Amino acid sequence: MIDINESVTQVLLAFVVVGPLIGAAAALLPAPPGLKGKSPEQAVLRHGITVTGAVLIAAIVLALGFDHDHPSRMQASTDISWIPALDVRIHLGIDGISLPLLVLTALLTFLCALYSYFKLPSGPSPKAFVALLLVLESGTLATFAVLDLLLFFLAFEMVLIPMYFLIARWGGEQRTQAAWKFILYTLLGSVVMLLGLLLIGLRAGTFDMVALTTDNHPELTTSVQVIAVLTIGLGLAVKTPMWPLHSWLPDAHTAAPTVGSVLLAGVLLKMGTYGFVRILLPITPDGFRTFAPYLAAFAVVGIIYGSLACLALARPGAKGDLKRLIAYSSVGHMGFVLLGIATMTPTGVNGALFANIAHGLITGLLFFLVGALKDRTGTTDLDALAQETGAALYGRAPRLGGLLAFGAVASLGLPGLAGFWGEMLALFGAFRPADDLSRPAFLTFMAIGAFGTLLTAAYMLIVVRRVCMGGAPQEGPRLADVQTYEFAAWTPLVALTVLAGLWPAALLGLTDPAVQQLLAGGTR
């Protein structure tokens, strides 16, 4: 680690949050100040790589300068009064919970910008595409960095419009309907969430998350907390997405361009679960405790539902779409995250945070791979991939087939890869939940969740068998194997998936002290 002055880290964090927004405005200028290219379109795409690369470097420097001996302490903090009448402040800061999500967001956005430079999805102006990508990055990074409830809401909403246009203008078939479904679901959920945030802030007299977590606020009675958890939880559950509020997700993923699907799965879904951990657990512990068993029940239903939907899509003759299958798998994986949070234990919450990062890495890689398959074969239909254009992918594009198999086994939770630890810790948390939660109920949830891991293994192995091993190599011409730019975009995700699987302490060492303090503050 490196020793960095606190004022420097404040500037770095401010740049990480605001830099992409400035870059988005610059991208719309007649001549964006990026690197020159053979055409204005190439220049603006290089501008996107430059800005996202600078943000990634700043995030890495922040991580290197982070005080790993005190990960529970808010660092790189900026606290400026914004609306004194409501005590709304521009309060930024990172701890062991938010730092991994910040770095993950910066990494995935940079990889998407790099990938788009070589494989820009068909659609309108590249200027608009780059600007929307950068606005999306700024809103997501701000969500993980702000420490004020109203700023959290503004950042939470900031990502909706750019994602809507990325789906509606650069997406595939039925993109308009999918984009409308995405924004209507999330907007309606956000309206309800805002009511809960206002209730907390006005009753407590502050919207500052740190003050709400650490100080005693008798105004937040159990009844107030129950109402707040219900309203805020609904908005967060839509974004997560939790069954049965998930139905926008498969359509959005199926219609979105490759980079849209990567960011939607790898980053945007994490905003919902982050809100559960950062806001509801520490600020409204009594209200959350009331709903914890119901949240766990919805979580395990989502695990089984997502797995069964994937099994149905994977079977021969089902006309299943591979992108849609991976989208449904996200419903199941995020169910494990919610189950871990619902246990209200350090083990479960740490598992949820680990599963968040693992899902972002693995599912981001899978959507990149599926996008590459579609570019080569013109389809993501499983029957077509298995029987016609994609027979024996191992023989026709061995590196691509090997990476797809790697992503599949990582997603099913193979020990030694990142997907294993989060789900295992979430189940361990359910084995022994918080003292005032029903252990028999959570043991039941644990058993159902464990059965869900078997279903996940079943559908992922079916996908590998049908796409990578089906048919014979000679049944079709060879496909282009992994290109240089694809190798550059996918290698970091593969390496981090292996690293997190072999050395989970690197991530758990950051999150555990912060989670311990968060839950201790929530027991006041």
Side-chain angles (χ1 to χ4, degrees):
M1 301 302 109
I2 57 178
D3 185 19
I4 301 179
N5 186 277
E6 180 72 12
S7 60
V8 175
T9 61
Q10 292 173 350
V11 173
L12 285 172
L13 183 58
F15 171 74
V16 165
V17 173
V18 180
L21 206 57
I22 298 172
L28 297 175
L29 296 175
L35 302 176
K36 292 183 179 180
K38 296 179 181 178
S39 65
E41 291 77 13
Q42 190 181 62
V44 77
L45 291 172
R46 289 188 177 184
H47 171 74
I49 295 174
T50 303
V51 174
T52 56
V55 171
L56 175 59
I57 291 171
I60 292 173
V61 174
L62 265 178
L64 292 175
F66 188 79
D67 184 358
H68 289 254
D69 294 329
H70 301 91
S72 60
R73 179 175 63 86
M74 282 295 170
Q75 302 180 32
S77 296
T78 299
D79 192 1
I80 303 170
S81 179
W82 184 33
I83 307 176
L86 295 176
D87 194 28
V88 178
R89 313 183 66 81
I90 299 177
H91 192 179
L92 305 177
I94 52 172
D95 64 357
I97 293 173
S98 53
L99 179 63
L101 291 167
L102 201 80
V103 176
L104 175 68
T105 301
L107 173 64
L108 285 177
T109 311
F110 170 71
L111 296 180
C112 286
L114 179 65
Y115 186 85
S116 299
Y117 178 76
F118 296 95
K119 201 68 182 179
L120 182 69
S122 58
S125 164
K127 283 179 173 287
F129 177 84
V130 170
L132 290 170
L133 191 69
L134 292 173
V135 172
L136 181 67
E137 179 182 33
S138 181
T140 311
L141 290 168
T143 301
F144 300 135
V146 298
L147 297 171
D148 182 277
L149 291 180
L150 290 187
L151 282 184
F152 175 86
F153 175 78
L154 293 176
F156 199 84
E157 294 303 285
M158 185 176 168
V159 305
L160 299 186
I161 299 303
M163 181 54 73
Y164 166 81
F165 281 109
L166 285 175
I167 297 172
R169 304 303 299 273
W170 283 270
E173 297 179 4
Q174 298 183 335
R175 58 182 182 269
T176 303
Q177 299 92 316
W180 275 110
K181 195 171 185 180
F182 161 76
I183 200 165
L184 287 176
Y185 263 78
T186 49
L187 275 178
L188 288 174
S190 298
V191 169
V192 178
M193 183 176 74
L194 177 61
L195 297 176
L197 295 175
L198 290 173
L199 174 64
I200 290 176
L202 295 177
R203 288 299 295 265
T206 181
F207 289 93
D208 188 87
M209 294 185 195
V210 176
L212 287 166
T213 301
T214 57
D215 299 342
N216 187 33
H217 290 279
E219 310 90 354
L220 299 179
T221 62
T222 300
S223 58
V224 170
Q225 291 186 31
V226 166
I227 296 171
V229 170
L230 181 62
T231 52
I232 298 172
L234 281 173
L236 297 174
V238 171
K239 186 67 70 74
T240 297
M242 181 185 76
W243 180 92
L245 304 173
H246 68 284
S247 60
W248 61 269
L249 182 70
D251 293 337
H253 270 307
T254 304
T258 296
V259 295
S261 292
V262 170
L263 292 175
L264 184 58
V267 176
L268 265 67
L269 302 189
K270 313 303 176 282
M271 295 166 64
T273 53
Y274 176 78
F276 277 103
V277 175
R278 178 64 73 194
I279 298 174
L280 295 186
L281 266 180
I283 298 176
T284 57
D286 296 332
F288 191 87
R289 195 172 291 110
T290 301
F291 286 102
Y294 304 101
L295 178 63
F298 282 120
V300 296
V301 170
I303 292 170
I304 301 301
Y305 171 84
S307 299
L308 291 177
C310 290
L311 278 172
L313 290 169
R315 63 183 176 84
K319 297 294 181 183
D321 184 278
L322 188 52
K323 283 188 76 174
R324 197 173 188 85
L325 184 148
I326 297 172
Y328 271 112
S329 77
S330 292
V331 176
H333 289 305
M334 299 313 289
F336 282 102
V337 176
L338 291 173
L339 175 61
I341 295 171
T343 66
M344 300 185 71
T345 62
T347 301
V349 177
N350 275 303
L353 294 172
F354 199 104
N356 250 348
I357 300 299
H359 179 264
L361 295 172
I362 297 167
T363 308
L365 174 64
L366 284 172
F367 276 118
F368 269 135
L369 293 167
V370 174
L373 268 179
K374 186 174 183 180
D375 292 337
R376 288 159 170 77
T377 64
T379 183
T380 53
D381 181 84
L382 269 170
D383 286 338
L385 289 171
Q387 298 173 6
E388 299 173 16
T389 58
L393 188 59
Y394 282 153
R396 303 180 62 194
R399 293 184 183 87
L400 186 60
L403 282 171
L404 183 61
F406 172 85
V409 297
S411 182
L412 63 83
L414 183 72
L417 298 177
F420 171 75
W421 295 105
E423 295 181 2
M424 184 194 71
L425 289 173
L427 293 175
F428 278 0
F431 179 75
R432 195 174 296 279
D435 291 338
D436 40 8
L437 296 177
S438 170
R439 193 178 184 207
F442 274 84
L443 286 175
T444 303
F445 300 146
M446 183 196 71
I448 297 173
F451 179 66
T453 63
L454 299 178
L455 295 179
T456 302
Y459 70 73
M460 278 300 180
L461 292 176
I462 290 173
V463 168
V464 171
R465 179 178 59 81
R466 295 189 64 203
V467 177
C468 298
M469 303 169 66
Q474 63 269 24
E475 290 182 6
R478 290 186 66 87
L479 299 175
D481 214 335
V482 178
Q483 305 295 304
T484 303
Y485 72 93
E486 293 171 331
F487 181 80
W490 302 342
T491 298
L493 302 180
V494 174
L496 289 173
T497 298
V498 175
L499 179 64
L502 295 178
W503 190 28
L507 184 56
L508 294 174
L510 280 174
T511 62
D512 185 55
V515 168
Q516 296 276 0
Q517 179 167 305
L518 199 78
L519 293 176
T523 59
R524 62 186 184 281

